[in-house]
């Protein structure tokens, strides 16, 4: 899975890799970028909004408007790995569909590589690559190589260069020895890796990865994160959506947290963590119900936020508290009569910041 | 000019590579047991059933009417079922979003889906005629064989045109196989495969005139009866134009589907 240089798909000798090209093909812009160490925005999103019309009822049908994306704005610089973080159903995939020309926004503007995604969709498509999470989107009865050959022809790639490029891409995603096998025999992780190879076939300047590690086992997800990190090293501009905090923390330079169609926070992982930097997190393992104690716990001055996680046979109370360890004895008094396991006090993580943001407590 | 030729070359590649790979990828009957059962053995039983029924009901002792009709009807197995599977299969497989997200020429992509099924359909009709020769002693001694081959090709093309249109219906309906089965049996009744067109009521004859197969079956019967290519020329042109009209309607539907799905966000809605 090394980051070895992959041949140009168009068969042009000596062409610099796409990532080295300026976003706007103008010598003055390139000069400005070099002299002032200034990077143009590859992606600019302004006041983006998407409303779906849903019909309800079988006989007496009524229509309902659902606001999936509600006036979001952000930008991504060239070569940046930007994360869109949020729980399921808050508008991440809708946003990616609009960015990839697969859905027309209700209002707002998106410019990618200087092109408008609605007006210039045809010009933009050869320059972007995208994958949506899950196992679908590949021809299962074809081999991995044939899938790539087919998608290569759809992107008008030079056949000879494609033949040379496919083994390199398969090597990059760790499928060299399985490329000739039918995709129906691939694991979920292998299919996701083949998706990445497919998205990279035409050497796009911008990549959109919508929940690429969704449903993967820990090893598969780790392998995929290594691939994504290598892509970033190739200076590709990447937008990654995920609801895994540690993934966003490990990979992204900047993150926007999206909730109910709106961006509720944006910044580097460190900046987002600082939202909860004044707090400690107290984790209390409990066995059995504690619903009757929750109102009293929440009412404690030392408790800023409280959530419950189910872990196999037990539950874990996650309490964000400005008092830290000093609050433990008060909390345990309120849990008198409940079987309590381990109690730990730790520093807050990005996940704690995220929970605070999406629960609207920040 | 050079740019035009380059684009043409790219589209020809999308057409042929897409034709071959989509056939392998999306044709559900491609596995040998399915293929043999559906396209080799199945038509024999249709043929036997209608020959025996024709002899009993209509007192027809010459089985060639039913043998030719049912052999030509097998064109619809590839043309209607195979082609529509190749179009709507992308939706079920989740690949449609990646096709529409590519810069590929939509016409080359769309028509390419029919190509292998046309070849396959020609092969299927030849096999079925072979059964007719073996089991019912179909007489081809008076037949201008190249003309018959052309007739088979045009007839399969015509059914593929309808298949392209039905495949697009599959992009907007939940279960296109129900529609395909209805159309397949509608062809059985109205195409003249088993019932003389002249014996049908007026409205049914009107239906016959606008569906694929009708003219192809008539031309095949005339050719096997000893007529020349020139004599069946108008029938073949008619059959070709019917197929081209369905393919054109199908392509318009395909483009409309893409535009509407991207506007409404229904690309993957079922």
């Amino acid at each position: 899975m090394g980051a070895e240089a992959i041949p140009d798909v168009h068969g042009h000798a000596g062409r610099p890799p796409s990532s080295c090209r300026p976003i706007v093909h103008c010598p003055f812009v390139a000069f400005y970028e070099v002299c002032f160490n200034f990077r143009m925005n590859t992606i600019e999103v302004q006041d983006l909004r998407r409303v779906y019309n849903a019909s309800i009822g079988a006989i007496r049908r009524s229509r309902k408007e659902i606001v999936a994306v509600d006036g979001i704005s952000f930008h991504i610089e060239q070569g940046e790995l930007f994360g869109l973080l949020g729980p399921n159903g808050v508008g991440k995939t809708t946003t990616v569909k609009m960015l990839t020309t697969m859905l027309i926004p209700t209002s707002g503007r998106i410019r990618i590589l200087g092109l408008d995604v609605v007006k210039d969709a045809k010009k933009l498509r050869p320059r972007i690559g995208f994958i949506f999470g899950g196992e679908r989107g590949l021809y299962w009865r074809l081999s991995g190589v044939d899938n790539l050959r087919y998608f290569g022809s759809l992107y008008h790639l030079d056949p000879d260069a494609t033949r040379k490029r496919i083994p390199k891409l398969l090597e990059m995603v760790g499928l060299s020895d399985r490329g000739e096998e039918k995709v129906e025999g691939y694991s979920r992780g292998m299919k996701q890796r083949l998706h990445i190879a497919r998205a990279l076939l035409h050497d796009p300047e911008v990549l959109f990865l919508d929940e690429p590690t969704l449903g993967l086992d820990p090893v598969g997800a780790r392998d995929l994160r290594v691939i994504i990190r290598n892509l970033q090293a190739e200076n590709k501009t990447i937008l990654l959506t995920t609801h895994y905090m540690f993934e966003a923390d490990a990979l992204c330079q900047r993150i926007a947290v999206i909730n109910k169609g709106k961006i509720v926070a944006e910044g580097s992982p460190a900046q987002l963590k600082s939202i909860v930097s004044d707090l400690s997190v107290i984790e209390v393992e409990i066995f059995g119900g504690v619903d009757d104690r929750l109102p009293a716990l929440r009412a404690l001055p030392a408790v800023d936020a409280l959530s419950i996680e189910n872990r196999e046979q037990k539950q874990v109370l996650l309490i964000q508290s400005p008092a830290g360890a000093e609050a433990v004895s008060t909390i345990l008094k309120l849990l008198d009569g409940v079987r309590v396991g381990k109690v730990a006090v730790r520093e807050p993580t990005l996940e704690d910041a995220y929970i605070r943001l999406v629960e609207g407590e920040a | 000019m050079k740019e035009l030729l380059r684009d043409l070359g790219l589209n020809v590649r999308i057409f042929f590579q897409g034709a071959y790979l989509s056939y392998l990828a999306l044709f559900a009957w491609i596995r040998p047991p399915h293929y043999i059962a559906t396209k080799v053995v199945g038509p024999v039983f249709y043929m036997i059933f209608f020959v025996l029924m024709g002899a009993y009901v209509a007192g027809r002792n010459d089985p060639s009417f039913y043998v030719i009709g049912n052999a030509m009807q097998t064109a619809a197995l590839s043309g209607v079922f195979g082609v529509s599977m190749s179009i709507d299969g992308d939706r079920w497989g989740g690949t449609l979003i990646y096709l529409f997200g590519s810069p590929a020429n939509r016409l080359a992509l769309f028509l390419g889906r029919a190509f292998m099924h046309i070849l396959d359909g020609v092969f299927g009709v030849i096999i079925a005629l072979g059964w007719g020769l073996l089991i019912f002693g179909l007489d081809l001694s008076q037949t201008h064989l190249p003309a018959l081959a052309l007739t088979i090709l045009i007839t399969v093309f015509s059914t593929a045109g309808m298949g392209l249109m039905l495949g697009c219906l599959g992009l907007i309906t939940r279960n296109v196989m129900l529609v395909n089965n209805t159309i397949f049996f509608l062809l059985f009744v109205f195409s003249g495969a088993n019932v003389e067109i002249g014996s049908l009521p007026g409205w049914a004859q009107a239906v016959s005139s606008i569906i694929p197969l009708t003219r192809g079956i008539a031309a095949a019967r005339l050719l096997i009866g000893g007529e020349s290519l020139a004599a069946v020329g108008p029938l073949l042109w008619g059959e070709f134009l019917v197929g081209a009209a369905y393919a054109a309607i199908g392509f318009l539907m395909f483009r409309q589907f893409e535009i509407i799905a991207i506007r409404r966000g229904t690309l993957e809605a079922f």
Side-chain angles (χ1 to χ4, degrees):
Chain A
M1 293 195 196
E4 192 183 339
I6 295 171
D8 180 338
V9 290
H10 306 281
H12 297 164
R15 176 179 167 271
S18 61
S19 50
C20 298
R21 295 197 301 269
I23 302 158
V24 178
H25 299 283
C26 164
F28 297 109
V29 172
F31 176 77
Y32 189 73
E33 284 179 5
V34 170
C35 292
F36 297 98
N37 193 25
F38 170 82
R39 293 200 296 179
M40 297 283 295
N41 290 332
T42 296
I43 299 174
E44 284 177 2
V45 176
Q46 281 178 341
D47 301 324
L48 188 65
R49 186 175 156 86
R50 174 69 210 195
V51 180
Y52 288 107
N53 286 311
S55 56
I56 302 162
I59 299 167
R60 295 179 65 184
R61 291 168 82 89
S62 60
R63 298 197 79 79
K64 185 185 172 191
E65 282 197 343
I66 296 167
V67 181
V69 174
D70 193 5
I72 65 171
S73 301
F74 62 90
H75 70 274
I76 307 176
E77 291 177 357
Q78 190 202 350
E80 190 177 18
L81 205 165
F82 183 85
L84 206 51
L85 188 65
N88 292 328
V90 295
K92 299 192 298 291
T93 299
T94 300
T95 304
V96 174
K97 281 185 177 167
M98 288 189 279
L99 288 162
T100 54
T101 77
M102 289 293 98
L103 183 64
I104 293 181
T106 305
S107 64
R109 204 175 80 148
I110 306 170
R111 289 185 77 80
I112 299 175
L113 300 162
L115 299 168
D116 184 286
V117 292
V118 179
K119 290 180 195 148
D120 305 314
K122 277 187 182 171
K123 286 184 198 163
L124 182 62
R125 283 174 186 158
R127 299 176 68 185
I128 62 172
F130 59 91
I131 68 167
F132 289 96
E135 295 184 275
R136 297 170 81 234
L138 294 164
Y139 294 107
W140 285 27
R141 274 197 245 130
L142 297 183
S143 68
V145 169
D146 279 343
N147 265 279
L148 296 181
R149 273 176 57 212
Y150 182 51
F151 284 106
S153 72
L154 295 181
Y155 278 86
H156 301 161
L157 306 187
D158 176 70
D160 291 332
T162 309
R163 256 192 297 279
K164 289 177 192 159
R165 187 170 169 80
I166 286 173
K168 297 276 184 189
L169 285 170
L170 288 175
E171 189 187 339
M172 191 188 102
V173 298
L175 290 174
S176 287
D177 54 339
R178 306 289 298 270
E180 297 295 340
E181 292 174 28
K182 285 185 180 177
V183 170
E184 63 192 2
Y186 284 15
S187 68
R188 197 180 175 111
M190 289 164 71
K191 285 175 190 143
Q192 280 301 83
R193 283 183 273 151
L194 186 63
H195 263 304
I196 297 247
R198 180 195 51 71
L200 290 171
L201 256 179
H202 55 293
D203 193 18
E205 293 153 75
V206 185
L207 266 178
F208 298 93
L209 309 175
D210 186 31
E211 309 216 21
T213 56
L214 186 71
L216 296 191
D217 61 67
V219 176
R222 186 198 59 196
D223 290 347
L224 209 64
R225 283 195 289 275
V226 171
I227 292 166
I228 294 168
R229 206 171 282 129
N230 288 341
L231 292 175
Q232 195 195 4
E234 286 184 29
N235 210 22
K236 300 265 183 215
T237 304
I238 301 171
L239 184 142
L240 170 81
T241 77
T242 181
H243 56 247
Y244 299 131
M245 292 339 105
F246 64 95
E247 188 168 278
D249 196 4
L251 292 173
C252 301
Q253 288 148 327
R254 276 191 311 128
I255 295 167
V257 179
I258 186 168
N259 192 30
K260 294 174 187 167
K262 291 177 188 287
I263 288 180
V264 292
E266 189 185 329
S268 66
Q271 284 171 326
L272 292 182
K273 280 178 211 169
S274 71
I275 292 170
V276 283
S277 62
D278 56 331
L279 302 173
S280 296
V281 179
I282 303 163
E283 290 189 357
V284 184
E285 281 183 6
I286 49 170
F287 300 86
V290 286
D291 288 356
D292 56 328
R293 317 289 172 96
L294 293 181
L297 281 168
R298 285 202 168 102
L300 285 175
V303 173
D304 195 81
L306 188 156
S307 59
I308 302 179
E309 252 182 39
N310 289 312
R311 291 183 193 163
E312 296 169 359
Q313 306 290 317
K314 61 199 172 196
Q315 289 183 309
V316 178
L317 290 177
L318 296 168
I319 299 162
Q320 295 182 7
S321 168
E326 290 169 17
V328 171
S329 59
T330 317
I331 290 165
L332 289 178
K333 265 185 203 159
L334 277 176
L335 291 172
D336 188 35
V338 177
R339 197 177 145 210
V340 175
K342 284 185 206 160
V343 178
V345 181
R346 61 168 173 80
E347 290 295 301
T349 62
L350 184 63
E351 184 163 354
D352 299 309
Y354 168 86
I355 288 169
R356 206 168 187 219
L357 286 166
V358 298
E359 287 184 351
E361 299 201 25
Chain B
M1 186 65 185
K2 204 175 167 184
E3 194 73 5
L4 266 178
L5 284 173
R6 184 184 156 275
D7 284 350
L8 185 67
L10 291 171
N11 293 333
V12 166
R13 189 162 157 256
I14 289 175
F15 179 89
F16 284 110
Q17 198 160 47
Y20 172 64
L21 292 174
S22 68
Y23 179 77
L24 294 181
L26 298 168
F27 186 35
W29 298 339
I30 203 168
R31 292 177 202 274
H34 286 147
Y35 189 90
I36 291 167
T38 314
K39 300 200 62 188
V40 180
V41 178
V44 184
F45 291 103
Y46 280 128
M47 222 177 258
I48 293 171
F49 174 78
F50 282 107
V51 166
L52 293 177
M53 198 176 74
Y56 180 73
V57 175
R60 234 186 237 276
N61 291 321
D62 173 16
S64 65
F65 179 85
Y66 300 104
V67 170
I68 298 167
N70 285 286
M72 295 298 282
Q73 170 87 20
T74 60
L77 286 174
S78 294
V80 171
F81 288 107
V83 173
S84 67
M85 278 177 205
S86 282
I87 299 287
D88 80 322
D90 274 309
R91 193 178 195 198
W92 292 103
T95 41
L96 202 56
I97 196 162
Y98 299 111
L99 295 189
F100 288 157
S102 78
N105 180 295
R106 303 297 193 253
L107 186 62
L109 183 74
F110 182 72
L111 295 180
R113 294 300 169 98
F115 181 72
M116 287 298 291
H117 291 284
I118 291 174
L119 298 184
D120 189 21
V122 169
F123 175 69
V125 175
I126 291 169
I127 296 262
L129 284 173
W131 286 122
L133 279 168
L134 279 172
I135 300 172
F136 299 103
L138 183 68
D139 181 10
L140 295 179
S141 61
Q142 306 295 310
T143 311
H144 187 240
L145 290 176
L148 181 62
L150 180 68
T151 302
I152 294 169
L153 180 66
I154 290 173
T155 308
V156 180
F157 162 81
S158 173
T159 58
M162 180 170 257
L164 286 169
M165 191 191 78
L166 293 173
C168 291
L169 278 183
L171 298 178
I172 52 174
T173 56
R174 203 176 287 263
N175 190 356
V176 77
M177 285 310 272
L178 191 71
V179 180
N180 287 351
N181 276 307
T182 308
I183 295 288
F184 186 74
F185 289 104
L186 184 139
L187 291 175
F188 255 127
V189 176
F190 296 106
S191 68
N194 296 297
V195 184
E196 295 264 19
I197 301 279
S199 67
L200 293 171
W203 65 267
Q205 289 188 37
V207 173
S208 298
S209 67
I210 57 164
I211 59 173
L213 277 177
T214 307
R215 294 167 183 82
I217 289 172
R221 285 191 181 124
L222 289 171
L223 285 167
I224 291 171
E227 290 288 352
S228 66
L229 177 62
V232 299
L235 286 172
L236 295 186
W237 273 112
E239 184 73 23
F240 176 80
L241 289 174
V242 166
Y246 278 109
I249 294 168
F251 183 65
L252 289 176
M253 285 170 66
F254 186 67
R255 291 295 289 146
Q256 270 315 106
F257 171 81
E258 180 180 352
I259 292 164
I260 292 171
I262 287 176
R263 193 184 299 145
R264 292 189 184 163
T266 53
L267 202 56
E268 292 187 308
F270 287 97

